[in-house]
Amino acid sequence: MTQKPWDGRFSQSTDKMVERFTSSIDVDKVLYNCDIDGSIAHLKMMAHQSIITHDEADTLLKGLEKVRAKIASGEFEYSDALEDIHMHIEKALGDEIGTVAKKLHTARSRNDQIALDVRIYLKAETQALMNALLNLQKVIVQTAQKYIDVVMPGYTHLQRAQPVLFSHHLMAYYEMFKRDYERFEDSLKRTDVMPLGSAALAGTTYPLNRELTRELLGFAKVSDNSMDSVSDRDFVMEFISDATICMIHFSRFSEELVLWSSSEFAFITISDAFTTGSSIMPQKKNPDVAELVRGKTGRVVGNLMAILTLMKSLPLAYNRDMQEDKEPLFDTVNTLKACIDIYAKMLPNIEINSETMLNAAQKGYLNATDLADYLVVKGMPFREAHSVSGKAVAFALNGGRCASGKCVHADENDKRVNRSDNNSSQFCKSDKNICKSKELNELSLDELKNFSDLIEEDIFDFLSIEKMISRRITHGSTSYVNVKKAVEQAAERLKI
Ligand code: ARG
């Protein structure tokens, strides 16, 4: 029978099923380094404060390092009877150095110990995630540099809207991941708080020097309220919230990669190394990485729900419910890290099909807003110009006839035959070519003039893709000049 720290009070030993049920060692064993680091700072502080002797501190320290080495070697034996990582280390320390080990738990509870361990863990992991996010931002900026002038259709409602630079589209993700970085940086301030010395909940009667413990562990500040210190998991909720937002960005990016790599779009080709095939359909090449990242977003959203629901309604101070915070936290850290890293590796393995993107940007009246803008430049109010351009679109869609005009190529029942293809064309059954819809810039000047006398020969140049892009020079717009500047600034920030 394993001895329990609370044996004094109990006359019965713990039921085996209860031991299994309450054990968290499978999950929290990853915290062993954090736990040992915390204990070392605690014993040094206690020696400094003469709560234990320097000799005792020395023995404890050497013993803890031996336990650390044993756990690291993989030879350590875990048991449900010892519940969690704290009790495993405490027991192993006793086995190493004998009764002095029992002094380590002076002025400390597992409640402030676990709060400390999780904070040590999360500080390091947040920093690592931030570094990984910086690396991903670098890859995004490098990809934007590589394809700086490639034009693609910009979408709203997933309908072609206006031409944009592919690099501009990509830099939208740079902005998102930059905000994610800033969110983590900000949350780090609230994680970087040292709770040890709060003991179980009320603080302690020993003359601790919490400032020294803080300094030894490299925390920014000590916590100010012992009850809050042991019951606060805001920093966990905040971290998972930030991670969830970051995953949502990945999910949106993934959705686009999945769409763009389909034959319907054919905007990108993901290299073989970052796709997988089908076990039955030989032709298939699937964007599984993007799909899985999109799928893993669900897990992280679930983790956020789990931690929020876990904390809701918990009275002060520590409650055992809080042991359940680790699985969602660790899973979030690991999932997000894996997604950031695989994206940073996958992006350079995506080929951009710039021809297809450009062609798509030239079909579907993406210049209709610019026709309206042209009329505005010539003095027409925008709402009127919008309507004029709309009428021109309807005319062009109709193959260069007024929408009401009877089609000479109607079938025997005088019905037009509508059919959509990628170009949103309408066809007469009798002659596809004659009745094929046109783009605005394919109409003749005379045809365009029917909609407004203000339209002159210069309209064709005005509606060219290059001019449409170049004119969008307001801060944050897609012009070549703006995007180049944005990419340069990002490269400078990231020291590329
Ligand atoms: N394993 C516990 C946790 O993760 C450590 C604290 C246990 N405290 C207690 N009073 N049982 O929350």
Side-chain angles (χ1 to χ4, degrees), residues 25-286:
I25 189 62
D26 290 349
V27 176
D28 62 27
K29 60 183 171 199
V30 299
L31 293 175
Y32 79 91
N33 266 320
C34 308
D35 199 74
I36 291 172
D37 289 346
S39 290
I40 290 174
H42 185 60
L43 69 87
K44 283 185 179 166
M45 180 277 291
M46 286 202 293
H48 184 268
Q49 298 298 103
S50 307
I51 300 168
I52 57 172
T53 67
H54 285 280
D55 278 353
E56 287 168 340
D58 203 43
T59 312
L60 285 166
L61 193 138
K62 285 187 181 129
L64 281 168
E65 287 303 355
K66 276 193 191 148
V67 176
R68 193 200 304 267
K70 204 163 176 193
I71 298 178
S73 74
E75 280 165 26
F76 198 80
E77 253 183 55
Y78 297 100
S79 138
D80 284 338
L82 287 168
E83 270 192 20
D84 53 27
I85 191 62
H86 322 300
M87 277 164 58
H88 275 81
I89 292 174
E90 199 178 327
K91 163 83 169 49
L93 186 63
D95 294 346
E96 288 292 341
I97 62 171
T99 43
V100 187
K102 297 187 178 175
K103 296 213 169 183
L104 185 59
H105 221 57
T106 315
R108 192 171 67 160
S109 153
R110 280 187 296 158
N111 298 353
D112 56 351
Q113 200 175 344
I114 189 62
L116 175 71
D117 290 5
V118 176
R119 284 175 184 273
I120 294 176
Y121 161 86
L122 195 52
K123 264 180 71 176
E125 293 297 340
T126 305
Q127 201 58 64
L129 282 166
M130 285 165 63
N131 290 339
L133 268 178
L134 276 185
N135 180 46
L136 174 66
Q137 287 171 51
K138 272 185 197 164
V139 175
I140 290 176
V141 171
Q142 281 161 342
T143 313
Q145 280 171 332
K146 186 168 168 196
Y147 299 106
I148 192 85
D149 286 341
V150 171
V151 175
M152 70 178 289
Y155 295 81
T156 64
H157 313 266
L158 202 57
Q159 307 286 322
R160 288 180 201 171
Q162 292 176 346
V164 293
L165 290 180
F166 169 72
S167 46
H168 192 52
H169 191 125
L170 209 52
M171 288 300 282
Y173 285 101
Y174 164 79
E175 294 293 334
M176 292 180 230
F177 292 125
K178 182 163 163 263
R179 286 197 296 275
D180 290 327
Y181 181 92
E182 289 164 0
R183 259 186 286 273
F184 284 128
E185 194 173 37
D186 197 57
S187 75
L188 205 47
K189 287 185 220 151
R190 284 167 291 280
T191 304
D192 201 0
V193 178
M194 208 288 299
L196 209 64
S198 304
L201 77 162
T204 173
T205 55
Y206 296 90
L208 301 190
N209 183 340
R210 298 189 63 208
E211 190 50 33
L212 177 58
T213 316
R214 176 202 69 74
E215 209 185 304
L216 290 169
L217 288 167
F219 274 87
K221 65 183 288 270
V222 292
S223 59
D224 290 328
N225 179 302
S226 62
M227 295 184 76
D228 181 45
S229 309
V230 291
S231 62
D232 171 26
R233 294 294 182 275
D234 288 5
F235 66 102
V236 177
M237 292 189 275
E238 189 175 351
F239 171 83
I240 302 182
S241 303
D242 296 346
T244 305
I245 296 174
C246 186
M247 283 301 296
I248 298 287
H249 295 153
F250 274 115
S251 189
R252 297 181 73 177
F253 204 167
S254 298
E255 174 73 7
E256 300 209 298
L257 296 185
V258 171
L259 283 171
W260 293 350
S261 62
S262 70
S263 314
E264 281 66 22
F265 277 82
F267 284 1
I268 60 168
T269 310
I270 307 175
S271 82
D272 285 359
F274 282 81
T275 49
T276 60
S278 156
S279 55
I280 175 167
M281 297 166 282
Q283 87 284 10
K284 290 297 290 291
K285 183 169 142 171
N286 301 323

Side-chain angles (χ1 to χ4, degrees), residues 429-461:
K429 198 182 194 179
S430 47
D431 189 333
K432 289 178 183 182
N433 291 325
I434 293 172
C435 296
K436 194 173 189 296
S437 67
K438 293 176 180 167
E439 284 296 316
L440 287 175
N441 47 308
E442 287 167 354
L443 297 175
S444 68
L445 183 58
D446 283 346
E447 285 173 315
L448 284 166
K449 266 185 171 307
N450 280 331
F451 298 96
S452 169
D453 281 343
L454 296 173
I455 300 176
E456 317 266 0
E457 184 64 42
D458 61 351
I459 185 65
F460 297 106
D461 182 49

Side-chain angles (χ1 to χ4, degrees), residues 286-297:
N286 301 323
D288 296 45
V289 172
E291 289 171 279
L292 272 169
V293 170
R294 191 176 56 185
K296 284 175 192 293
T297 305

Side-chain angles (χ1 to χ4, degrees), residues 274-331:
F274 282 81
T275 49
T276 60
S278 156
S279 55
I280 175 167
M281 297 166 282
Q283 87 284 10
K284 290 297 290 291
K285 183 169 142 171
N286 301 323
D288 296 45
V289 172
E291 289 171 279
L292 272 169
V293 170
R294 191 176 56 185
K296 284 175 192 293
T297 305
R299 289 166 64 128
V300 177
V301 172
N303 290 340
L304 178 61
M305 292 308 115
I307 187 75
L308 292 175
T309 320
L310 171 68
M311 294 307 294
K312 177 192 165 295
S313 312
L314 285 190
L316 298 186
Y318 179 81
N319 299 272
R320 192 63 182 270
D321 314 42
M322 285 154 77
Q323 178 168 292
E324 289 289 314
D325 63 353
K326 284 162 216 64
E327 270 178 276
L329 176 62
F330 296 170
D331 184 67

